Amino acid sequence: NAGVTQTPKFQVLKTGQSMTLQCAQDMNHEYMSWYRQDPGMGLRLIHYSVGAGITDQGEVPNGYNVSRSTTEDFPLRLLSAAPSQTSVYFCASSYSEQGILNYGYTFGSGTRLTVV
Amino acid sequence: SQQGEEDPQALSIQEGENATMNCSYKTSINNLQWYRQNSGRGLVHLILIRSNEREKHSGRLRVTLDTSKKSSSLLITASRAADTASYFCATDAKRAAGNKLTFGGGTRVLVKP
């Protein structure tokens, strides 16, 4: 099925551990992004990418790294997990027209991360 | 701080009634988008309105945009129990480089049968 696939769906980490959240899309979208959503809140942008080899920081980038080696994949790495990173993480992708996001995002189903 | 802020934060209506929610933002935009999120799920794109448009319709959804007031509204007509969800506005702000989609805090809508 076409869309955005996130793995894993659930994860529990101990403080200090590292891990990678995977995101893949098969729609040939140039634009991909990672958001976190905390209970009762909206989404906050962590990192985004406008194409393979190009990434940039969002509102809350600290503690996270990204890379974009292919158009399809945009993994998010937690370097040293902290309880404050307990959240639901969403990956999203979109076409863009000359850098303008004139199409809606397609979201993945999310990864629920708990850091203990 | 978030670019878009929704109002009200929560809304409870009876099935068949209309639901209206508002979004205010701070900077010039290329477009404004509305999304729905059912509990525990990812967000689903509903409608996009460009900065040079004033009103847009999609089925039972009507979106307006007032760039002079930096505000938008989403109207859901003849609501159904299945419309129970959180609704978010998101703005693609004009920037010199690197466009980003920024989300508001959302409006939780409960449609009672």
Side-chain angles (χ1 to χ4, degrees), chain B residues 3-14:
Chain B
Q3 161 77 320
E5 296 293 339
E6 285 93 337
D7 172 64
Q9 290 188 327
L11 182 59
S12 180
I13 56 174
Q14 294 293 135

Side-chain angles (χ1 to χ4, degrees), chain B residues 31-89:
Chain B
N31 62 64
L32 186 144
Q33 305 178 27
W34 286 91
Y35 289 80
R36 183 187 74 233
Q37 184 181 35
N38 293 95
S39 181
R41 303 284 189 94
L43 279 73
V44 174
H45 179 253
L46 295 175
I47 196 165
L48 179 152
I49 186 165
R50 302 188 185 201
S51 61
N52 61 354
E53 297 175 315
R54 291 297 167 256
E55 187 170 314
K56 206 161 183 181
H57 296 255
S58 177
R60 293 183 296 111
L61 305 180
R62 172 177 169 256
V63 168
T64 62
L65 179 65
D66 186 335
T67 53
S68 66
K69 295 181 179 177
K70 293 187 169 57
S71 67
S72 173
S73 68
L74 171 67
L75 168 68
I76 305 172
T77 60
S79 62
R80 305 167 182 168
D83 294 328
T84 293
S86 292
Y87 293 82
F88 295 90
C89 70

Side-chain angles (χ1 to χ4, degrees), chain A residues 42-116:
Chain A
L43 281 71
R44 290 184 291 170
L45 182 64
I46 304 172
H47 285 284
Y48 67 103
S49 169
V50 300
I54 307 169
T55 63
D56 205 349
Q57 296 181 349
E59 296 174 72
V60 288
N62 292 339
Y64 308 95
N65 273 354
V66 292
S67 60
R68 185 98 179 267
S69 56
T70 67
T71 299
E72 294 78 18
D73 299 300
F74 191 43
L76 177 72
R77 296 184 193 83
L78 277 71
L79 308 173
S80 177
S84 61
Q85 293 178 304
T86 293
S87 189
V88 181
Y89 291 84
F90 289 101
C91 179
S93 70
S94 176
Y95 290 113
S96 67
E97 287 178 331
Q98 297 177 331
I100 297 175
L101 300 170
N102 273 333
Y103 300 89
Y105 271 11
T106 299
F107 276 84
S109 57
T111 295
R112 291 185 176 275
L113 176 68
T114 302
V115 182
V116 298

